Amino acid sequence: MEKWYGVSGLVLVLSLFFGVKGEPQVPCYFIFGDSLVDNGNNNELRSLARADYLPYGIDFANGPTGRFSNGRTTVDVIAELLGFDDYIPPYSTASGRQILGGVNYASAAAGIREETGQQLGARISFSGQVKNYQQTVQQVVNLLGDEDSAANYLRQCIYSIGLGSNDYLNNYFMPLYYSTGRQYSPEEYANSLIQEYTEQLQALYNYGARKFVLIGLGQIGCSPNELAQNSGDGRTCVERINAANRIFNNKLRGLVDQFNNANSDAKFIYINAYGIFQDITSNPAAY
C-alpha cells in the first residue's frame, strides 16, 4: 500500500482549476493502478491491503468503498471532469452495459512485477489487470455486435495507467521480504520494470487501446511511511529512494516516446507526478 501525501492536494488542484463537472468528452475511461486509485477491487480478497472500513471514506458520500482515501481519488475527480454521470466502477462489480463507460481494474499493493506486495496477501498485478481488461473487451464485442464496432469504440476511450510505486515500497526497498535490492542496481531494476511495463502496454494496444496516459512515480522517499522508517530525522526525504524513482520516471518518459514513434494511430502522454507533488509539498500555501 502506498503511503504518501499529495493525493488529496492534487484532487483539490484539479477541482480548483477545472471545476467538478465537465461536458462529456469521451465515451469510456479505463483505469489501471494500485491503492492510489483502487475503488473496491480488493474488498473480497484475502489481503491486508483493503480499505472497506472506517475511517476510510469518512468524507465520501457512500462511506467506505475500498478507496484508500478519506474521500474521492484523483480518477474520481477526472471522471467528473470528463463529464461522466458517475464514478468508474471497479472490475469486481462492473456488469452489463455499465462496462461501456469504462472499468477500474486497480488493486492496492499491486505492482508491475508479479511478486510485488505478496507479503500483504492477495492483489491483482499489472498483468492480472490487463487480463481482466481482455475479458472486458470480449464483453464489449458481445454488446456491440462485432470486433470492428468494438475496436472503433475502444479507440475513443482514455486508458490511465499508474503502477510502479509498490515495486519500490513493497519490493525493492523491503529487503526482509525481497531479494531484488541485492540482485539489481537501481538502473537495472528500472530496466526490468520498464521491460515488463512495455509488454503490458503492447497487450493493451493489441486489445484496442489507443489513448494512453502513463503516470510517473511520485516522491516515494518523502512519504510518511518512509520518513518514519528510513529518514534520520523523520522529516528529511530519503534521497536513495527518490533517486531510484527518478531513474524509473526517466525511462518511462522514454517509453512514451518509443510508443508514440512506433504507433501513429495511438497517443501516449506522460504525467509528471513527481514534479506535481514536489511543487505541492514545496509550496503548500499556493494550493
Side-chain angles (χ1 to χ4, degrees):
M1 291 174 289
E2 303 73 13
K3 298 176 182 176
W4 58 341
Y5 54 84
V7 176
S8 59
L10 180 55
V11 169
L12 176 60
V13 171
L14 289 167
S15 298
L16 289 176
F17 283 137
F18 300 106
V20 294
K21 185 66 177 178
E23 294 299 318
Q25 297 180 54
V26 292
C28 35
Y29 181 27
F30 293 100
I31 300 156
F32 304 80
D34 47 37
S35 67
L36 296 179
V37 293
D38 184 354
N39 65 343
N41 285 311
N42 278 23
N43 287 357
E44 302 303 321
L45 299 183
R46 295 178 62 85
S47 173
L48 295 176
R50 289 173 53 163
D52 53 340
Y53 53 89
L54 291 171
Y56 293 111
I58 194 170
D59 298 314
F60 194 70
N62 298 323
T65 58
R67 289 168 170 80
F68 286 73
S69 172
N70 59 299
R72 296 173 298 170
T73 65
T74 52
V75 294
D76 291 329
V77 174
I78 292 169
E80 292 177 343
L81 302 180
L82 289 172
F84 288 96
D85 292 329
D86 204 350
Y87 302 124
I88 305 303
Y91 176 76
S92 60
T93 62
S95 62
R97 298 190 67 84
Q98 185 183 36
I99 66 171
L100 294 178
V103 178
N104 185 332
Y105 303 94
S107 173
I112 299 167
R113 293 176 66 95
E114 290 298 318
E115 82 275 9
T116 289
Q118 65 185 2
Q119 84 282 2
L120 293 170
R123 69 266 170 244
I124 308 167
S125 67
F126 190 14
S127 66
Q129 294 178 34
V130 171
K131 289 176 182 176
N132 286 340
Y133 166 72
Q134 292 170 337
Q135 294 294 320
T136 298
V137 171
Q138 187 55 57
Q139 292 175 274
V140 172
V141 171
N142 294 337
L143 287 169
L144 298 183
D146 57 72
E147 291 185 359
D148 287 341
S149 297
N152 289 332
Y153 187 81
L154 293 171
R155 71 172 54 250
Q156 303 174 62
C157 307
I158 291 178
Y159 293 74
S160 171
I161 303 153
L163 287 117
S165 294
N166 284 309
D167 293 293
Y168 289 94
L169 276 178
N170 286 305
N171 192 324
Y172 192 71
F173 289 109
M174 191 170 277
L176 291 179
Y177 291 94
Y178 302 94
S179 61
T180 48
R182 297 184 294 275
Q183 292 177 320
Y184 300 95
S185 69
E187 183 83 15
E188 292 169 340
Y189 190 63
N191 283 334
S192 173
L193 293 178
I194 291 298
Q195 180 179 350
E196 294 191 44
Y197 207 125
T198 301
E199 293 172 2
Q200 301 309 326
L201 289 182
Q202 188 62 52
L204 291 174
Y205 177 87
N206 292 343
Y207 273 75
R210 291 296 182 270
K211 297 180 179 181
F212 293 82
V213 179
L214 307 188
I215 303 168
L217 305 183
Q219 293 179 285
I220 297 174
C222 300
S223 68
N225 186 56
E226 295 308 318
L227 291 177
Q229 295 188 31
N230 296 306
S231 173
D233 59 6
R235 300 181 64 181
T236 304
C237 297
V238 184
E239 175 56 22
R240 66 187 178 93
I241 297 178
N242 282 347
N245 299 156
R246 291 194 296 271
I247 292 172
F248 174 85
N249 286 340
N250 287 334
K251 293 182 184 297
L252 188 59
R253 285 191 184 95
L255 186 60
V256 166
D257 293 337
Q258 175 185 321
F259 269 97
N260 278 327
N261 292 333
N263 302 284
S264 60
D265 63 337
K267 180 65 176 178
F268 292 75
I269 68 171
Y270 171 79
I271 302 297
N272 181 16
Y274 192 101
I276 291 172
F277 292 125
Q278 186 174 43
D279 192 51
I280 290 172
T281 56
S282 300
N283 306 290
Y287 298 94

